[in-house]
Amino acid sequence: MIEQLKKIQTEATHEISAVEDLGSLEDLRVKYLGRSGLLSQLIKQIGSLPADEKPLIGKLTNETKGLLEALWQEKLAQLKQKAAEQGDEKIDLTLPAYSFFVGHKHPITQIMEEACSIFTRLGFSIAEGPEVESDYYNFQALNFPKEHPARDMHDSFYISDDVLLRTHTSPVQVRIMEKSRPPIRIIAPGKVYRRDADITHSPMFHQIEGLLVDTSSSFSDLKGILTVFVHQMFDPQTKLRFRTSFFPFTEPSAEVDISCVMCRGKGCRVCSNSGWLEILGAGMVDPEVFKAVGYDPEKYMGFAFGMGVERITMLKYGINDIRLFYENDLRFLRQF
Ligand code: DAH
């Protein structure tokens, strides 16, 4: 048995030293040190040896096992280090690279930026106001007295009796006029809030407000500015129609329709067969608003307009459900 042990030790030492890869090293562990490996087989035979031989053989077998295990561990460490050192050289440069998903701006942001860029090219600058607004700026200064029925159209989210989430971007008009003097030419993009939710209404949506005040500005200037805007945002063939309307802060007031972008005015489901789509409200600034900000209504004239960004985006891209904008479904968003 001592001969057998010596033979195993010599062969194993030789083989372990010669091995070059981790797979073969594992094979050698199984062959010599594994549960049914050569050493284990030998150990099993110790039981049947004469009693006086057992201690010596047992001791020698344990020594051999310890020796081979140490040798094996040492080789394992060597091969692992070698693999790590060679790691870089193993990169296969011919493999195709990972492709990264490149994101982009949300369609509402895109249209908002496009609208802002059209108006800034026309000489407007961008203004902002708070989303949490006082009743005074959201309503009173815009000539909606308390209890005025026009407030009903703005299903408001009140925070307290006098504080609410702004229902439109028009309060920015008042804030800008209060702290500057004409000439004024601003647009105010931003979020607004109303208690309303269905396929064309969302409790939060976006508006763009426009305001121009000077010593001479007319309804025809307003028509000109809005015509340029519509022609650039949609296409130069789009027709505009100004319909008489009412807003407390403009007089006269108008609602502006464009010829249907789907059927070009022939009549279809989108325009309810009328050939027209309403896209914004506008008018000449009411003298009451000028009085609220301390402007002399005899000296200054101005016009204002306000539009819903979701509505314009839906018309431009033929989207029929406003909720798609807020679900963040990449299958929808990736189309823009
Ligand atoms: N603020 C109005 C709304 O949310 C829209 C609007 C209409 C704004 C006429 C204006 C305007 O500036 O002149 O319904």
Side-chain angles (χ1 to χ4, degrees):
M1 244 180 112
I2 293 180
E3 283 310 306
Q4 261 178 295
L5 208 54
K6 274 191 183 155
K7 192 170 170 252
I8 289 175
Q9 185 170 329
T10 321
E11 282 178 8
T13 309
H14 185 72
E15 284 187 67
I16 292 175
S17 315
V19 85
E20 289 288 350
D21 66 283
L22 288 164
S24 318
L25 185 65
E26 174 62 13
D27 292 344
L28 292 179
R29 190 191 61 76
V30 175
K31 178 173 172 190
Y32 292 105
L33 300 162
R35 207 180 301 177
S36 31
L38 295 176
L39 271 178
S40 301
Q41 284 171 25
L42 216 61
I43 290 168
K44 276 183 207 137
Q45 295 170 28
I46 295 176
S48 52
L49 289 174
D52 60 338
E53 283 181 23
K54 276 185 193 170
L56 180 66
I57 302 289
K59 188 171 165 258
L60 287 177
T61 316
N62 274 338
E63 276 174 10
T64 305
K65 196 171 178 221
L67 210 84
L68 293 183
E69 271 171 2
L71 199 66
W72 189 88
Q73 288 291 348
E74 195 186 324
K75 190 72 185 184
L76 178 72
Q78 267 177 26
L79 291 183
K80 275 190 175 166
Q81 182 171 354
K82 205 167 136 198
E85 280 167 5
Q86 288 181 344
D88 283 351
E89 288 162 32
K90 278 191 185 155
I91 290 176
D92 182 352
L93 295 174
T94 64
L95 281 175
Y98 289 115
S99 62
F100 290 96
F101 170 60
V102 181
H104 61 69
K105 287 177 182 164
H106 190 279
I108 295 296
T109 309
Q110 288 181 30
I111 294 297
M112 197 118 92
E113 289 183 354
E114 192 176 333
C116 288
S117 103
I118 295 171
F119 285 114
T120 48
R121 274 180 269 140
L122 289 168
F124 287 76
S125 47
I126 295 177
E128 280 183 338
E131 289 171 28
V132 177
E133 190 53 285
S134 67
D135 186 274
Y136 176 77
Y137 286 108
N138 196 81
F139 289 129
Q140 287 172 56
L142 288 164
N143 197 30
F144 290 79
K146 290 246 182 215
E147 318 300 337
H148 192 286
R151 288 184 175 217
D152 292 350
M153 284 168 58
H154 295 234
D155 317 275
S156 319
F157 287 109
Y158 275 92
I159 290 165
S160 68
D161 280 353
D162 279 318
V163 180
L164 71 162
L165 296 180
R166 67 178 179 191
T167 57
H168 52 174
T169 42
S170 304
V172 184
Q173 290 186 30
V174 180
R175 288 181 172 275
I176 294 295
M177 285 193 278
E178 266 184 354
K179 61 179 188 204
S180 44
R181 311 300 304 172
I184 287 175
R185 216 188 285 187
I186 56 114
I187 51 162
K191 292 185 168 69
V192 300
Y193 302 84
R194 291 190 198 179
R195 293 176 46 172
D196 217 348
D198 58 36
I199 65 165
T200 53
H201 296 89
S202 156
M204 183 284 298
F205 61 104
H206 299 78
Q207 283 189 340
I208 296 175
E209 190 79 15
L211 174 71
L212 184 146
V213 184
D214 209 331
T215 44
S216 70
S217 46
S218 64
F219 203 93
S220 59
D221 295 331
L222 169 65
K223 287 178 99 170
I225 293 276
L226 292 178
T227 303
V228 170
F229 169 72
V230 164
H231 285 175
Q232 294 199 11
M233 179 55 82
F234 294 94
D235 77 74
Q237 265 75 55
T238 314
K239 294 196 184 75
L240 284 85
R241 175 172 88 171
F242 288 72
R243 254 185 309 108
T244 323
S245 186
F246 173 81
F247 299 102
F249 42 93
T250 44
E251 182 59 35
S253 303
E255 273 172 314
V256 180
D257 300 337
I258 57 170
S259 50
C260 180
V261 289
M262 301 297 157
C263 63
R264 299 216 158 267
K266 288 193 196 74
C268 69
R269 226 172 41 135
V270 174
C271 59
S272 309
N273 279 317
S274 68
W276 295 99
L277 299 163
E278 185 203 318
I279 61 154
L280 56 86
M284 301 305 292
V285 178
D286 194 292
E288 288 302 315
V289 178
F290 281 150
K291 282 188 212 159
V293 297
Y295 283 9
D296 180 355
E298 297 299 324
K299 190 169 165 198
Y300 295 118
M301 293 173 85
F303 59 76
F305 52 88
M307 62 186 90
V309 182
E310 276 78 354
R311 172 136 178 98
I312 288 181
T313 313
M314 288 169 80
L315 293 175
K316 191 166 157 129
Y317 294 122
I319 298 161
N320 55 13
D321 188 337
I322 197 170
R323 290 167 292 202
L324 288 165
F325 289 127
Y326 316 111
E327 282 165 0
N328 286 334
D329 185 333
L330 288 177
R331 290 169 301 176
F332 171 74
L333 295 175
R334 278 180 182 158
Q335 297 176 58
F336 303 93

